[in-house]
């Protein structure tokens, strides 16, 4: 099993450009998440999904959109990139082993480093 | 809302030294608590977790005990190795209907010198 994979690994954008980050998981997980990691800020949740066709906003959703058309894929879009979106983006997934328990382990991808000039 | 506070880094130790990384939390309800580790250039991976008060999570020589009375989940290891150099994140699960979401601390960079 590949686990959680992310594409691309690194990208440089100019302000105003758009791009899509792809996350794929092969563990049949119901839940998927997008985080950004910034120095001194830890990880902050951007958007998440609790199942195919559903998405919801996290802590810092502005400037991002997501789609979950297939259970195994979770896409993060930047419609008009800004320098403030320079960050490392992590995707994660989890399976609700005990629905409602909060005990699920999240499995993370290797990250995408994005630089917006 | 939920929050996690962990000790500021960086922490630099010599091999075989004792490690403590403090973590305290604020939460409603009865969250689960986690420690994740991020090795250089990689994503996060679960190190250990505890799902109820007084539970002890352990893995790879690391331990942490869920202390509800002090709202703490401190990470300890008796003898660190160079290979333990990484960033460590304390996290807690959400509450109520969204308890699958995690709130992370800011992370603590650990460097272990030979």
């Amino acid at each position: 099993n590949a686990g959680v994979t992310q594409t691309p690994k690194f990208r440089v954008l100019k302000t105003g450009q758009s791009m899509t980050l792809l996350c794929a998981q092969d563990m049949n997980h119901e839940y998927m998440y997008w985080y950004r990691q910034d120095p001194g800020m830890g990880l902050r949740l951007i958007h998440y999904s609790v199942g195919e066709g559903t998405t919801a906003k996290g802590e810092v959703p502005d400037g991002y959109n997501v789609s979950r058309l297939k259970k195994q894929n979770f896409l993060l879009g930047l419609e008009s990139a800004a320098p403030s979106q320079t960050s490392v983006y992590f995707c994660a997934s989890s399976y609700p082993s005990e629905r409602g328990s909060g005990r699920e382990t999240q499995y993370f991808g290797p990250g995408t480093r994005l630089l917006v000039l | 809302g939920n929050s996690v506070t962990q000790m500021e880094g960086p922490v630099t130790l010599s091999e075989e030294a004792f490690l403590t990384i403090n973590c305290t939390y604020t939460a409603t309800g009865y969250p689960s608590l986690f420690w994740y580790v991020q090795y250089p250039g990689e994503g996060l991976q679960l190190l250990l977790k505890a799902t109820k008060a007084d539970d002890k999570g352990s893995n790879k020589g690391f331990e942490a005990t869920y202390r509800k009375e002090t709202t703490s989940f401190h990470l300890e290891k008796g003898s660190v190795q160079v290979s333990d150099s990484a960033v460590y994140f304390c996290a807690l699960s959400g509450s109520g209907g969204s308890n699958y979401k995690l709130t992370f601390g800011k992370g603590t960079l650990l460097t272990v010198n030979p």
Side-chain angles (χ1 to χ4, degrees), chain B residues 29-44:
Chain B
Y30 302 94
S32 294
L33 300 173
F34 306 81
W35 277 101
Y36 280 82
V37 59
Q38 183 181 29
Y39 297 105
E42 298 183 8
L44 280 71

Side-chain angles (χ1 to χ4, degrees), chain A residues 31 33 35 37 40-43 45 48 50 57 90 94 100-111, chain B residues 30 32 34 36 38 41-46 49 51 87 89 93 96 98-102 104-107:
Chain A
Y31 299 167
Y33 314 82
Y35 294 91
Q37 182 182 29
M41 299 292 290
L43 273 77
L45 183 64
Y48 64 98
V50 298
K57 295 180 179 180
F90 287 100
S94 66
S101 72
R103 302 175 184 180
E104 299 86 359
T105 297
Q106 290 190 15
Y107 294 84
F108 284 79
Chain B
Y30 302 94
S32 294
F34 306 81
Y36 280 82
Q38 183 181 29
E42 298 183 8
L44 280 71
Q45 56 185 273
L46 179 70
K49 67 180 179 182
T51 58
V87 180
F89 293 92
S93 61
S98 59
N99 53 9
Y100 44 83
K101 292 193 289 183
L102 294 177
F104 286 89
K106 295 183 178 181

Side-chain angles (χ1 to χ4, degrees), chain A residues 35-106:
Chain A
Y35 294 91
R36 59 179 289 173
Q37 182 182 29
D38 301 293
M41 299 292 290
L43 273 77
R44 293 180 292 170
L45 183 64
I46 305 172
H47 285 280
Y48 64 98
S49 168
V50 298
E52 181 178 320
T54 72
T55 63
K57 295 180 179 180
E59 182 185 354
V60 288
D62 293 343
Y64 305 95
N65 56 75
V66 288
S67 64
R68 183 103 180 265
L69 299 180
K70 293 182 179 181
K71 185 177 183 178
Q72 63 267 35
N73 295 337
F74 195 29
L75 278 62
L76 177 70
L78 286 74
E79 289 188 351
S80 179
S84 60
Q85 294 177 303
T86 293
S87 188
V88 181
Y89 292 86
F90 287 100
C91 177
S93 69
S94 66
Y95 183 79
S97 56
E98 292 182 40
R99 195 174 291 274
S101 72
R103 302 175 184 180
E104 299 86 359
T105 297
Q106 290 190 15

